[in-house]
């Protein structure tokens, strides 16, 4: 069997174990949330008997370990459960499968993360390459200071600053990213510009600085000196000789930041009222909708683990020596 395939299978097995451990943490953490769904639905005036009967109907009176294994078994079969939302004491059950709630929101989150990635990755690569070309120049210092300043602020602060500058005072971009199914692509992109720019400012510094550091580290290599002695320009030396050998750390940090784009959008979605998985999770926490919270948290964890696996594979493919560690 090819060493790369063996490595991928090992990473998948490790990812499965990690996801199992994370599922235990998710389930345990949700059990510790304050409040009770039955009490929240029935109100403070409900009797203890009514609350107990309602909890029994939902299966919340069963031992936690039984509910955990039921949930994990259902997830393994592709069933994320049924939302508690829509249930009432009248006996009328208007609840929906969690998959129906999460699927459109997941598409919205992926669209926002993809748009931010399309903006941030080329921008970070451009800044990283150009600052390596003109390192220690005013341009290098200005780019580094600007990106570090942007990343030092919390996401919600960056979001509100962009809303003030680009949504209110100047350009007039939409400050609420409310998108609907069937919306034209151009209108959807326009609605998502401010949240995508917020995510871009948060992550571009990591990728830019890693690209810059990897290139500068390689510029001291003997083969780079030989290329320079042969009369090649600085741009050609970096693009043709240094950049291909710097792909391993660059690809790894890009994959890590793309994972952050998917799992770190909760604050941005809440600020811009964007109908993504993050907003759905926050709403579900407020209403104590346990199945939805568990599904959203598990999706975030699985996405992060898969993208980290992708980062490992890319790093190995660009640096085959990692297949044969000493």
């Amino acid at each position: 069997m090819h060493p790369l395939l063996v490595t991928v299978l090992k990473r998948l097995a490790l990812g499965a174990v990690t996801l199992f451990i994370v599922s235990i943490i998710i389930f345990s953490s949700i059990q510790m949330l304050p409040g009770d769904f039955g009490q929240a639905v029935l109100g403070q005036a409900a009797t203890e008997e009514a609350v107990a009967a309602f909890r029994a109907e939902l299966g919340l009176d069963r031992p936690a370990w039984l509910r955990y294994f039921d949930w994990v078994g259902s997830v393994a079969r592709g069933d994320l459960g049924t939302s508690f939302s829509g249930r009432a004491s009248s006996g009328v059950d208007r609840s929906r499968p969690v998959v129906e709630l999460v699927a459109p929101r997941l598409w919205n989150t992926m669209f926002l993360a993809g748009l931010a990635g399309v903006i941030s990755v080329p921008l970070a690569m451009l800044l990283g390459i150009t600052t390596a070309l003109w390192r220690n120049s005013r341009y290098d210092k200005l780019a580094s200071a600007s990106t570090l300043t942007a990343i030092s602020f919390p996401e919600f602060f960056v979001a509100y600053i962009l809303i003030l500058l680009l949504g209110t005072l100047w350009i007039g971009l939409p400050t609420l990213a409310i998108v609907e199914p069937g919306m034209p692509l151009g209108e959807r992109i326009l609605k998502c510009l401010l949240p995508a720019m917020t995510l871009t400012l948060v992550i571009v510094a990591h990728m830019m600085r890693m690209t810059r550091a990897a290139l500068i580290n390689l510029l001291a290599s003997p083969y780079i000196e030989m290329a320079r002695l042969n009369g090649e320009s600085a741009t050609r030396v970096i693009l043709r000789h240094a950049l291909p050998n710097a792909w391993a750390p660059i690809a790894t940090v890009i994959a890590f930041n793309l994972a952050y784009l998917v799992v770190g959008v909760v604050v941005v979605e809440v600020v811009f009222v964007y109908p993504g998985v993050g907003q759905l999770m926050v709403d579900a926490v407020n209403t104590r909708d346990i199945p939805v919270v568990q599904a959203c948290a598990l999706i975030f964890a699985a996405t992060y683990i898969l993208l980290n696996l992708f980062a490992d594979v890319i790093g190995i493919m660009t640096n085959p020596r990692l297949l044969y560690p000493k």
Side-chain angles (χ1 to χ4, degrees):
M1 189 178 293
H2 194 278
L4 180 60
L5 181 58
V6 173
T7 302
V8 171
L9 292 177
K10 288 181 179 178
R11 295 291 196 278
L12 283 174
L14 182 60
V17 174
T18 304
L19 189 60
F20 175 72
I21 297 173
V22 169
S23 70
I24 297 176
I25 297 173
I26 291 171
F27 187 87
S28 303
S29 301
I30 291 174
Q31 301 309 306
M32 292 186 288
L33 286 176
D36 180 79
F37 178 77
Q39 192 72 55
V41 171
L42 299 179
Q44 297 296 326
T47 63
E48 293 183 4
E49 292 77 9
V51 173
F54 195 44
R55 286 176 55 85
E57 179 187 347
L58 299 176
L60 297 177
D61 60 332
R62 304 169 62 207
W65 66 272
L66 278 177
R67 287 185 281 121
Y68 169 74
F69 283 110
D70 285 347
W71 173 57
V72 169
S74 299
V75 170
R77 296 191 301 270
D79 180 13
L80 296 179
T82 302
S83 170
F84 287 171
S85 178
R87 294 179 183 266
S89 58
S90 61
V92 179
D93 188 357
R94 299 186 180 90
S95 57
R96 299 170 57 190
V98 174
V99 173
E100 293 184 6
L101 296 173
V102 171
R105 298 296 192 100
L106 182 59
W107 157 247
N108 289 339
T109 295
M110 291 298 182
F111 180 86
L112 176 59
L115 180 60
V118 168
I119 298 173
S120 59
V121 173
L123 177 61
M125 293 293 295
L126 176 64
L127 289 174
I129 293 172
T130 52
T131 51
L133 275 171
W134 298 299
R135 62 185 182 278
N136 299 326
S137 65
R138 290 184 179 179
Y139 168 74
D140 179 22
K141 295 176 182 178
L142 178 62
S144 298
S146 301
T147 51
L148 286 177
T149 300
I151 201 175
S152 65
F153 293 122
E155 294 173 352
F156 67 89
F157 182 78
V158 175
Y160 286 130
I161 291 296
L162 290 179
I163 289 173
L164 176 64
L165 296 179
L166 303 181
T168 304
L169 297 180
W170 291 337
I171 301 177
L173 293 174
T175 56
L176 295 179
I178 302 176
V179 297
E180 300 174 354
M183 179 179 289
L185 179 60
E187 185 179 353
R188 178 182 286 267
I189 292 176
L190 181 64
K191 293 271 190 182
C192 295
L193 270 183
L194 281 181
M197 291 171 64
T198 302
L199 291 171
T200 297
L201 290 175
V202 169
I203 69 169
V204 73
H206 290 108
M207 295 186 287
M208 183 274 284
R209 292 184 66 82
M210 178 57 73
T211 303
R212 178 183 180 276
L215 290 175
I216 290 177
N217 184 52
L218 286 173
L219 289 178
S221 302
Y223 73 95
I224 296 294
E225 293 294 332
M226 181 60 67
R228 285 173 172 168
L229 292 174
N230 288 335
E232 297 191 24
S233 63
T235 303
R236 184 178 176 85
V237 166
I238 285 184
L239 295 181
R240 183 173 179 180
H241 300 287
L243 188 59
N245 292 293
W247 271 122
I250 294 173
T252 301
V253 76
I254 288 175
F256 285 158
N257 281 278
L258 291 179
Y260 173 80
L261 283 179
V262 177
V263 303
V265 296
V266 177
V267 173
V268 174
E269 289 184 357
V270 171
V271 170
F272 290 98
V273 198
Y274 184 75
V277 177
Q279 178 71 59
L280 177 64
M281 186 175 180
V282 172
D283 294 340
V285 170
N286 290 332
T287 59
R288 307 297 188 273
D289 197 343
I290 296 174
V292 175
V293 177
Q294 291 176 163
C296 293
L298 194 65
I299 288 172
F300 283 146
T303 301
Y304 196 84
I305 290 171
L306 285 175
L307 286 175
N308 275 272
L309 170 64
F310 178 74
D312 288 344
V313 173
I314 292 296
I316 291 171
M317 291 177 63
T318 53
N319 188 1
R321 289 177 298 178
L322 296 177
L323 288 174
Y324 308 99
K326 293 182 179 179

